[in-house]
């Protein structure tokens, strides 16, 4: 039987079920829930009609109370608004659970982009041997970051998981109980999480989702592509940033790093222990009981932290021995379960995921300067006395040949000491969990060869005098740094000391490229084009020096941060960009939305694997045509100029400070990291982190970073009667097509009626109109470019999901804007009513959460 259209499947399995279960939620026998559930639809209708009639949020809220709740006191009105916020948060959870439950029905789990589809298509083209050869080298690594856009506490994550299962099984009694539990479970965190808390939250996904989904994918490849033979390459692995990402986070200490690594090891051992116990119940045959009992006992000792001599190699060897006996003497009974466990051990080792260390180059520079000065003052001869008088090139030469070991007792500056102890921690983790546990150090905001060599020298002087088993990954972010990246790398490749280090690391060089700060710096089109060109130049220079470059993409959730339909980007890259590995960051609510369940995790991982492999197996030459490069370059330059002018507007910073939710991100207790890097009193654009920057535009429903400048660039081609050039680019370039499709998502999530009242603001009216005009221009010309009659026309189910989510949070956004306006009014009064201001600030703060999670990729 043929499947129904995707939108029909979505409407039946998601929309209809949401309407049914939301109805049950509204009638739960709790006073607060029932009363709120009755009033919220009335408020929702008031919001819809009000915005259609051109009313502002303040008028809408006031007219609702006047019409339906005229007798409420001001205090009672505030209480009801808080209850609306709490109720909407839970509606979002309900919708998440329903959408997760319906994932395998709405999405074709064997369709285009899945491994089954890939295998069938390569078999039909007689390319199976080529696929095998490629899979022996190709890798996908998703790196989970600690970015503060996932606020659900563990108790709520548990409810979502249980609710998803109950909905899958149509278990109405259990659904009813879980909805009641949801109604009574607090969402709000009263204290900021520590980096360790964030790590524990994400380890939940490793233990409950990735352990199985990664294993299942690897098992499938082994059985169906390699005919059951052993694969030496691990193909898929996980990176981990909580506990290792020190960039702008003073709370990540050496102790935290060691504690997180220990927790990762403890968790993977726990999973092995469970699997061995299950196997032991099945493998009740003569000759293997002792082996299984030994493994169970030793894994248990390791799990609870007791001494054990069981090594990773011992674990593998013992299981292989059991496997041989079963093949020879017991008709290979349960052999697939043993193979599956061996595959997981191959994937996860004793480390589970690779803990990356990251720090900003500016922080390193201060630390390194202090370290050199301290050693010089103590009479230590590691550095020449004239080191600070040398040119950067001469300093690099000194750092290339540096030798010795640092005496920590000389170091007095706490930040310098912490940096050196983190390096020492890397060595410790490698000794306890294996080298894969922690073997990469990312330098964010990397601008020069000297930045890399400062870290190179510190690694050598602290813990890696003999064998430097650590990869250094420079992260290039701003447009200028992206343009110069290949020059920096050529200097490193031609440096004899660094070249020797690369040879010891199989001549592989990881280079990270940052979409987030690239977009913040250069706007949407320029950031993406600058990264594309940087990858081409870096590929060329790396191949010249026989180095395999591995691109690690710093992608966020929304298109503005490199997100959106991520796998489409990897499928659109041509032969001029190295593609032996796909590595990307996954952050915040994108972890739960794209990888939060076994189905979604497996589907999205398979899409990434297939899209990465597609380039190499396809006969289609995806490199950009010369005439297209010229048009793409012009579009990027035109949009960059429009974005740069917009960013330079005198009201840009103050608009974000005074009219958006920017300053409330730091008060939400959803992440351990401060919202800005520097310590300056006022808001400095360079110090502003990408998440609160992008997130604030998202809360305003203006999504500027995902479209601003695109319309202006397209309009130039319309005005000069050359629009057919852009249309040709869209039809012939997968890269540009993906950019435009993802920008459409940003436009679809924009709702300017919410803030239309700002057009009349004496201070910010002109600025608001600049944004709105660009939105209208971009929307009109993208529709003209694509030939669509509406945004996201080719993704009806995705569009429907966005529409429902935006509808759920419409009252919440209205309340948020109402509260922001109240704060502005109260701050102008004299004397200021601080107590009232605090109440409305709390409303703004609480309203952030539901919108963040409803958007699924908002920041």
């Amino acid at each position: 039987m043929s499947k129904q259209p995707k939108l029909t499947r979505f409407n039946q399995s998601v929309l209809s079920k949401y309407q049914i279960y939301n109805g049950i939620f509204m009638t739960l026998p709790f006073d607060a829930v029932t009363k709120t559930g009755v009033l919220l639809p009335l408020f929702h209708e008031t919001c819809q009609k009000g915005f259609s009639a051109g009313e502002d949020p303040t008028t809408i809220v006031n007219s609702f109370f006047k019409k339906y709740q005229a007798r409420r006191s001001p205090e009672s009105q505030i209480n009801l608004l808080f209850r609306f916020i709490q109720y909407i948060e839970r509606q979002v959870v309900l919708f998440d659970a329903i959408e997760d439950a319906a994932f395998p029905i709405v999405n074709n789990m064997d369709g285009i982009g899945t491994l089954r589809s890939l295998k069938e298509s390569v078999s039909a083209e007689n390319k199976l041997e080529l696929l095998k050869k490629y899979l022996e080298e190709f890798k996908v690594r998703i790196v989970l970051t600690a970015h503060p856009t996932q606020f659900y506490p563990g108790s709520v994550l548990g409810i979502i998981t249980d609710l998803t299962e109950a909905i899958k099984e149509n278990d109405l009694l259990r659904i009813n109980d879980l909805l009641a539990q949801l109604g009574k479970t607090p969402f709000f965190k009263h204290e900021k999480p520590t980096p360790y808390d964030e790590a524990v939250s994400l380890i939940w996904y490793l233990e409950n989702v990735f352990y199985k989904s990664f294993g299942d994918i690897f098992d499938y490849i082994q059985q169906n592509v390699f005919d059951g033979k052993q694969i030496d390459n691990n193909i898929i692995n996980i990176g981990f940033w909580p506990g290792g990402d020190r960039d702008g986070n003073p709370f990540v200490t050496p102790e935290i790093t060691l504690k997180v690594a220990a927790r990762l090891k403890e968790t993977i051992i726990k999973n092995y222990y469970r699997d061995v116990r299950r196997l032991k119940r099945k493998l009740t045959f003569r000759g293997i009981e002792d082996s299984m009992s030994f493994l169970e006992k030793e894994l248990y000792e390791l799990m609870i932290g007791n001494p054990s001599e069981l090594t990773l190699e011992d674990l593998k060897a013992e299981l292989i021995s059991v496997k041989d006996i079963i093949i020879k003497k017991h008709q290979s009974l349960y052999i697939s379960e043993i193979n599956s466990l061996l595959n997981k051990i191959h994937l996860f080792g004793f480390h589970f995921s690779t803990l990356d260390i990251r720090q900003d180059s500016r922080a390193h520079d201060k630390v390194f300067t202090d370290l050199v000065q301290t050693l010089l003052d103590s009479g230590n001869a590691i550095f020449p006395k004239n080191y600070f008088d040398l040119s950067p090139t001469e300093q690099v030469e000194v750092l290339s040949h540096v030798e010795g070991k640092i005496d920590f007792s000389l170091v007095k500056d706490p930040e310098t000491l912490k940096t050196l102890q983190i390096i020492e921690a890397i060595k410790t983790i490698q000794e306890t969990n294996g080298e894969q546990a922690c073997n990469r150090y990312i330098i964010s905001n990397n601008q020069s060869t000297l930045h890399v060599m400062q870290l190179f020298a510190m690694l050598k002087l602290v813990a890696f005098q003999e064998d430097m088993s650590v990869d250094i990954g420079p992260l290039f972010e701003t447009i200028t740094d992206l343009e110069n990246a290949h020059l920096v790398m050529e200097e490193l490749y031609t440096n004899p000391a660094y070249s020797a280090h690369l040879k010891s690391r199989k001549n592989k060089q990881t280079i990270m490229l940052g979409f987030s700060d690239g977009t913040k710096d250069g706007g949407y089109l320029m950031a993406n084009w600058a990264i594309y060109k940087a990858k081409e130049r870096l590929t060329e220079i790396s191949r010249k020096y026989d180095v395999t470059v591995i691109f690690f993409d710093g992608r966020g959730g929304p298109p503005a941060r490199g997100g959106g339909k991520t796998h489409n980007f990897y499928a659109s890259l041509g032969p001029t960009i190295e593609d032996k590995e796909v590595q990307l960051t996954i952050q915040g609510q994108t972890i739960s939305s794209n990888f939060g369940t076994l189905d979604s995790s497996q589907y999205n991982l398979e899409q990434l694997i297939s899209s990465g492999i597609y380039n190499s197996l396809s006969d289609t030459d995806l490199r950009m045509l010369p005439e297209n490069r010229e048009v793409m370059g012009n579009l990027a330059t035109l949009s960059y100029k429009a974005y740069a002018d917009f960013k330079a507007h005198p009201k840009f910073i103050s608009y974000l400070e005074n009219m958006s939710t920017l300053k409330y991100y730091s008060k939400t207790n959803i992440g351990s990291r401060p919202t800005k890097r520097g310590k300056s009193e006022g808001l400095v654009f360079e110090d502003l982190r990408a998440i609160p920057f992008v997130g604030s535009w998202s809360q305003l429903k203006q999504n500027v970073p995902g479209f601003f400048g695109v319309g202006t660039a397209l309009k130039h081609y319309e005005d000069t009667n050359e629009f057919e050039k852009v249309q040709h680019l869209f039809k012939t370039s997968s890269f540009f097509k993906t950019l435009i499709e993802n920008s459409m998502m940003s436009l679809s999530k924009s709702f300017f009626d919410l803030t239309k009242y700002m057009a009349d603001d004496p201070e910010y009216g002109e600025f608001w109109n600049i944004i709105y005009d660009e939105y209208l221009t971009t929307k009109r010309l993208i529709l003209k470019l694509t030939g669509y009659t509406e945004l996201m026309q080719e993704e009806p189910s995705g569009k429907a999901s966005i529409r429902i989510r935006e509808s759920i949070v419409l009252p919440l956004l209205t309340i948020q804007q109402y509260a922001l306006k109240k704060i502005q009014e109260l701050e102008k009064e004299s004397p200021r009513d601080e107590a009232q201001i605090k109440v409305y600030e709390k409303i703004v703060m609480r309203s952030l959460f539901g919108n963040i999670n409803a958007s699924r990729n908002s920041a």
Side-chain angles (χ1 to χ4, degrees), residues 265-458:
K265 181 175 181 178
E266 174 196 315
T267 308
I268 191 59
I269 297 292
K270 190 201 301 181
N271 280 24
Y272 293 156
Y273 172 71
R274 286 174 184 153
D275 277 2
V276 163
R277 279 187 62 121
R278 286 190 199 103
L279 266 174
K280 190 184 169 202
R281 289 185 65 179
K282 293 179 178 181
L283 304 179
T284 51
F285 319 133
R286 197 185 304 278
I288 55 177
E289 302 101 316
D290 289 348
S291 290
M292 296 308 293
S293 295
F294 165 74
L295 287 179
E296 181 186 23
K297 178 181 175 298
E298 292 305 312
L299 284 169
Y300 180 76
E301 296 297 335
L302 273 175
M303 185 175 68
I304 62 172
N306 285 348
S308 168
E309 292 185 6
L310 184 73
T311 65
L312 185 64
E313 291 311 311
D314 293 338
L315 176 60
K316 285 182 194 170
E318 201 70 44
L319 280 169
I320 289 168
S321 169
V322 166
K323 178 181 167 181
D324 289 343
I325 292 169
I326 286 175
I327 292 170
K328 286 172 187 169
K329 297 184 179 178
H330 303 291
Q331 290 76 46
S332 297
L333 205 55
Y334 297 122
I335 202 76
S336 62
E337 283 95 328
I338 297 172
N339 278 333
S340 190
L341 179 54
L342 280 166
N343 284 341
K344 289 186 179 87
I345 293 165
H346 177 55
L347 291 177
F348 303 120
F350 272 2
H351 60 280
F352 214 160
S353 69
T354 301
L355 185 62
D356 283 342
I357 308 299
R358 183 172 81 128
Q359 181 56 289
D360 190 278
S361 65
R362 292 164 291 192
H364 270 166
D365 198 52
K366 285 180 190 168
V367 161
F368 196 73
T369 301
D370 178 69
L371 176 63
V372 175
Q373 192 62 60
T374 299
L375 292 172
L376 291 176
D377 291 346
S378 71
N380 188 296
I382 288 177
F383 294 96
K385 290 179 182 176
N386 67 337
Y387 178 82
F388 290 115
D389 298 324
L390 301 175
S391 68
T393 306
E394 290 168 327
Q395 287 181 348
V396 165
E397 183 62 23
V398 169
L399 299 179
S400 302
H401 301 100
V402 74
E403 286 186 356
K405 188 163 176 64
I406 294 167
D407 178 358
F408 282 21
S409 67
L410 297 172
V411 180
K412 303 300 178 220
D413 182 85
E415 190 51 42
T416 303
L417 188 61
K418 206 188 283 185
T419 303
L420 302 180
Q421 287 170 337
I422 286 277
I423 292 171
E424 196 173 52
I426 297 173
K427 184 78 167 178
T428 303
I429 293 166
Q430 289 191 359
E431 287 166 354
T432 55
N433 297 12
E435 193 213 294
Q436 281 293 309
C438 188
N439 66 355
R440 182 163 73 180
Y441 202 127
I442 309 289
I443 309 170
S444 50
N445 192 46
N446 193 90
Q447 297 174 328
S448 66
T449 307
L450 184 60
H451 284 152
V452 173
M453 294 308 291
Q454 285 173 340
L455 176 59
F456 179 85
M458 283 193 284

Side-chain angles (χ1 to χ4, degrees), residues 619-731:
D619 294 327
T620 308
D621 190 343
L622 291 171
R623 80 182 75 209
M624 201 172 271
L625 301 168
E627 65 269 24
N628 280 348
R629 293 186 75 88
E630 185 183 342
V631 176
M632 185 69 228
N634 285 340
L635 287 169
T637 303
L638 290 161
S639 71
Y640 180 51
K641 167 108 178 37
Y643 179 76
D645 290 348
F646 173 64
K647 204 169 63 170
H649 193 285
K651 295 298 178 189
F652 186 90
I653 293 291
S654 66
Y655 180 81
L656 279 174
E657 261 191 310
N658 298 314
M659 305 300 277
S660 83
T661 56
L662 181 69
K663 58 190 171 194
Y664 299 97
Y665 267 79
S666 60
K667 301 175 183 179
T668 53
N669 295 334
I670 56 175
S672 69
R673 196 164 67 171
T675 53
K676 58 187 184 117
R677 283 187 173 93
K679 295 178 181 176
S680 53
E681 282 297 312
L683 183 61
V684 178
F685 183 78
E686 287 68 30
D687 288 341
L688 186 58
R689 287 201 164 278
I691 283 177
F693 174 71
V694 174
S696 297
W697 290 113
S698 173
Q699 296 282 335
L700 281 168
K701 288 294 152 192
Q702 293 175 1
N703 290 320
V704 159
F707 71 80
F708 201 94
V710 177
T712 298
L714 292 173
K715 192 170 185 301
H716 168 81
Y717 278 86
E718 183 183 55
D719 291 345
T720 54
N721 295 316
E722 295 180 301
F723 203 72
E724 73 282 352
K725 289 184 177 180
V726 194
Q727 288 170 321
H728 178 71
L729 175 64
F730 181 76
K731 285 173 186 168

Side-chain angles (χ1 to χ4, degrees), residues 506-572:
K506 299 181 180 176
N507 260 3
K508 289 185 176 182
Q509 171 66 56
T510 298
I511 298 174
M512 191 172 177
L513 301 159
F515 280 82
S516 301
D517 283 297
T519 304
K520 184 168 82 86
D521 181 51
Y524 179 69
L525 278 186
M526 177 55 91
N528 280 281
W529 181 234
I531 288 169
Y532 184 94
K533 289 195 297 179
K535 282 185 175 181
E536 287 189 320
R537 290 190 295 265
L538 288 164
T539 298
E540 186 181 359
I541 210 76
S542 299
R543 286 173 179 170
K544 177 181 173 183
Y545 293 100
D546 199 27
V547 173
T548 300
V549 64
I550 296 160
F551 292 119
F552 175 21
D553 289 319
R555 295 177 175 276
R561 301 186 60 232
K565 297 285 184 181
T566 306
H567 53 270
N568 288 352
F569 271 104
Y570 293 111
S572 71

